[in-house]
Amino acid sequence: MNQFVIAPLLVALCTAILTLLTRRFGRTQRALSLLGSLGYVAAVAWLVTSVYPGGTAVYHLGDWVAPYGIVLVADSLSAFMLAISAVVTLPALVYATRHISAFGQKVSFHPLFHLMVVGVTGSFLTGDIFNLFVWFEVMLLSSYVLVVFYSGPEQTTATLRYVVLNLAGSAVMLLAIGGLYATTGTLNMADMAHRLANAQQYGVHVAPVLGLTALLFAVFMVKAGAVPFHWWVPDAYAAAPAPVSAVLAGVVKKVGVYAVIRLYFTVFAAAPLTELALPGDTVLGFFGVVLLAIAVLSILFGGLSAVGQRELDRLLAYSSISQVGFILVALAAAALRPEFAAVGIAAALVYSLTHALAKSLLFLLSGLIEDATGTARLDELGGLARQSPVVAGAFLVGGLGLVGIPPLVGFFGKFLVFDALVQTDVVVGLAAALVGAILTVAYVSSAWNRGFWGESSAAVEGWNADPVQVACVVVLALSVVAAGVGFNPILEFARAGADAALDRAAYVSAVLEHGGGAA
């Protein structure tokens, strides 16, 4: 009985529909939205306990067997990413009920928010590449409206850039998927992995696969907001409402990261490309070099850009570019040295959780500060530590979480990334990570000294914070601490996720055992 696989998706979809139908009744809509978000957390928890540590559950929609029907697949990797989504979206939604105007909530916010969660959830669970595209589009269409939610000139400009780049990416993704179908004869991920591993048996020409997967890779880097596909990130994050920015940075970015892990380590790594004389003679060897270059550029560009920012939300946006570089550099190490792939993927997963918790906390804090003072410009703030020690303490926890100070979860994320780079002897990545760590200290210190220390400014003297918003950031701050103090289960979960990504045979067997695709 694998019905639990579809539970998170159904909960999020039903919540989106119900909040749309009840938009005339604001209080009822908010109650259903919050209840649905709690239900989503419960459904994800049910799924996690069902597949962790080593299980793989498959749900065949309409009882059409793979590789011909649509399948949803849950294992420790997808469960880990869904857990990140659940942990971030609930406090973000509670925060939004006090941050977004009553009119904005009633008209469109709640259905759009839950549809974005639907797209994220479907992306983590889908078992075929075409439906990965479909779920990407569900996620992106709702996020377009949420970025332009305030409808001002800044939001319109940011959304236009966001839409144009992602529409181009979607067209390229669809083209690549069509090419892969023509080349391999299947869209099912497990079946594609099996056919690529047995290319001669199935008459698959693997050389075109490299070019097509390169197109897909570029699309995933757009979704992750990595350099050189980053230019939509600062404007979109600054323009969107704070809870939307928190989910975009904490969850939506991780969809691109998940797609890279699932497709390039589970599926495309099966393709034999020895005749092309690639680095390491594998798809992973080739993309490991590309990942390393993108990761290094993201770490350095994002960190340097964040140091000089005058507005807190833009500082956090550039910081997100740098922090996703830490995730990608761990994956680059895993790709370049396959014998240490499990170490690199586990480090990337832990750092994804670190970034999701800390960055979501900081974006919510940015919105809270702007609501309470009327500004998020650092040169117009000052003395926040004295005015609101609780908010200042939450910011300090989030900032130190990004820096990587023990016992916060960020320390373990940083440590595991550095450990993976040392074990794999990726010197360039290690040097970039060291510089990025120093830059993180610099921009977190700058934000703290300018916004929270010193004499209180006129804006801070009029401090008027919403207690529910404060409670949300406190909960996230406590989660950063708790995840560090009780880190061992998280590490084991991440290792199980890495094993699931690398155990191609188990994935193929679980998906195709009733479909005959691996005969």
Side-chain angles (χ1 to χ4, degrees):
M1 299 293 288
N2 291 330
Q3 282 82 353
F4 61 85
V5 177
I6 202 173
L9 194 59
L10 284 179
V11 170
L13 180 60
C14 290
T15 305
I17 295 171
L18 289 172
T19 53
L20 180 64
L21 294 176
T22 57
R23 62 188 183 277
R24 295 179 181 274
F25 311 99
R27 187 172 296 178
T28 301
Q29 184 192 51
R30 287 192 296 274
L32 287 171
S33 183
L34 292 171
L35 185 62
S37 191
L38 286 170
Y40 180 76
V41 172
V44 169
W46 183 24
L47 185 148
V48 168
T49 57
S50 299
V51 300
Y52 177 78
T56 301
V58 182
Y59 183 83
H60 301 267
L61 273 73
D63 208 25
W64 285 82
V65 295
Y68 310 107
I70 298 172
V71 296
L72 301 178
V73 186
D75 57 14
S76 291
L77 174 60
S78 53
F80 190 94
M81 305 306 291
L82 283 171
I84 292 177
S85 174
V87 169
V88 171
T89 54
L90 178 57
L93 180 65
V94 175
Y95 179 101
T97 60
R98 306 302 289 258
H99 178 78
I100 305 294
S101 69
F103 177 75
Q105 292 185 60
K106 186 166 77 170
V107 171
S108 62
F109 178 81
H110 291 284
L112 289 170
F113 184 91
H114 290 287
L115 281 174
M116 186 164 62
V117 175
V118 168
V120 168
T121 305
S123 299
F124 290 150
L125 290 175
T126 186
D128 69 88
I129 294 183
F130 180 76
N131 279 288
L132 180 64
F133 166 79
V134 172
W135 293 122
F136 267 35
E137 292 308 297
V138 172
M139 175 184 71
L140 289 171
L141 286 172
S142 54
S143 69
Y144 295 154
V145 185
L146 288 171
V147 171
V148 77
F149 194 78
Y150 291 137
S151 305
E154 178 187 359
Q155 288 77 25
T156 303
T157 302
T159 304
L160 182 62
R161 294 172 178 170
Y162 182 41
V163 170
V164 168
L165 184 60
N166 279 283
L167 284 179
S170 297
V172 171
M173 185 177 182
L174 194 57
L175 177 66
I177 291 171
L180 286 170
Y181 179 64
T183 304
T184 64
T186 186
L187 293 170
N188 183 276
M189 294 180 189
D191 196 33
M192 189 176 293
H194 177 71
R195 288 169 178 257
L196 289 174
N198 301 275
Q200 290 186 346
Q201 176 185 343
Y202 286 94
V204 175
H205 298 285
V206 297
V209 171
L210 181 64
L212 295 167
T213 55
L215 293 178
L216 276 182
F217 185 83
V219 175
F220 298 149
M221 291 300 99
V222 171
K223 311 305 182 190
V227 174
F229 309 102
H230 65 282
W231 50 274
W232 63 270
V233 173
D235 290 340
Y237 285 17
V244 175
S245 297
V247 176
L248 288 175
V251 178
V252 173
K253 266 196 172 191
K254 307 308 181 297
V255 174
V257 172
Y258 169 80
V260 169
I261 298 173
R262 175 61 76 201
L263 289 179
Y264 292 85
F265 287 89
T266 307
V267 179
F268 300 140
L273 296 174
T274 52
E275 70 275 11
L276 299 183
L278 295 174
D281 295 326
T282 64
V283 170
L284 282 180
F286 174 79
F287 283 105
V289 175
V290 179
L291 263 175
L292 180 60
I294 290 176
V296 169
L297 289 173
S298 298
I299 289 171
L300 298 180
F301 174 82
L304 288 169
S305 300
V307 170
Q309 294 303 311
R310 297 182 178 181
E311 296 184 8
L312 183 56
D313 50 5
R314 296 189 73 86
L315 181 151
L316 296 175
Y318 281 106
S319 167
S320 287
I321 298 172
S322 180
Q323 296 300 312
V324 82
F326 281 93
I327 300 171
L328 297 180
V329 80
L331 293 179
L336 290 170
R337 296 287 298 275
E339 63 270 29
F340 295 102
V343 175
I345 295 174
L349 292 176
V350 171
Y351 207 95
S352 295
L353 174 63
T354 294
H355 178 255
L357 292 176
K359 192 54 61 70
S360 300
L361 163 63
L362 293 172
F363 269 116
L364 293 184
L365 275 167
S366 176
L368 188 157
I369 291 169
E370 187 166 8
D371 284 350
T373 64
T375 183
R377 291 182 60 86
L378 293 170
D379 54 5
E380 295 177 2
L381 299 172
L384 279 173
R386 185 165 47 254
Q387 187 70 33
S388 180
V390 173
V391 170
F395 180 89
L396 191 61
V397 168
L400 294 180
L402 289 182
V403 171
I405 302 298
L408 305 178
V409 67
F411 166 76
F412 298 100
K414 277 279 197 318
F415 175 81
L416 289 172
V417 169
F418 280 110
D419 181 56
L421 293 169
V422 169
Q423 288 194 48
T424 55
D425 198 27
V426 181
V427 178
V428 175
L430 181 61
L434 286 169
V435 174
I438 295 170
L439 291 173
T440 305
V441 173
Y443 60 71
V444 168
S445 300
S446 174
W448 173 261
N449 290 332
R450 295 163 66 187
F452 290 84
W453 215 238
E455 296 297 322
S456 297
S457 65
V460 173
E461 290 291 345
W463 177 266
N464 183 25
D466 183 275
V468 174
Q469 293 182 14
V470 173
C472 291
V473 299
V474 169
V475 167
L476 276 173
L478 291 175
S479 70
V480 173
V481 178
V485 174
F487 178 69
N488 192 62
I490 294 174
L491 177 60
E492 295 303 318
F493 197 179
R495 286 173 173 168
D499 290 340
L502 296 171
D503 194 350
R504 186 181 308 112
Y507 183 83
V508 171
S509 175
V511 175
L512 300 181
E513 62 181 355
H514 299 301

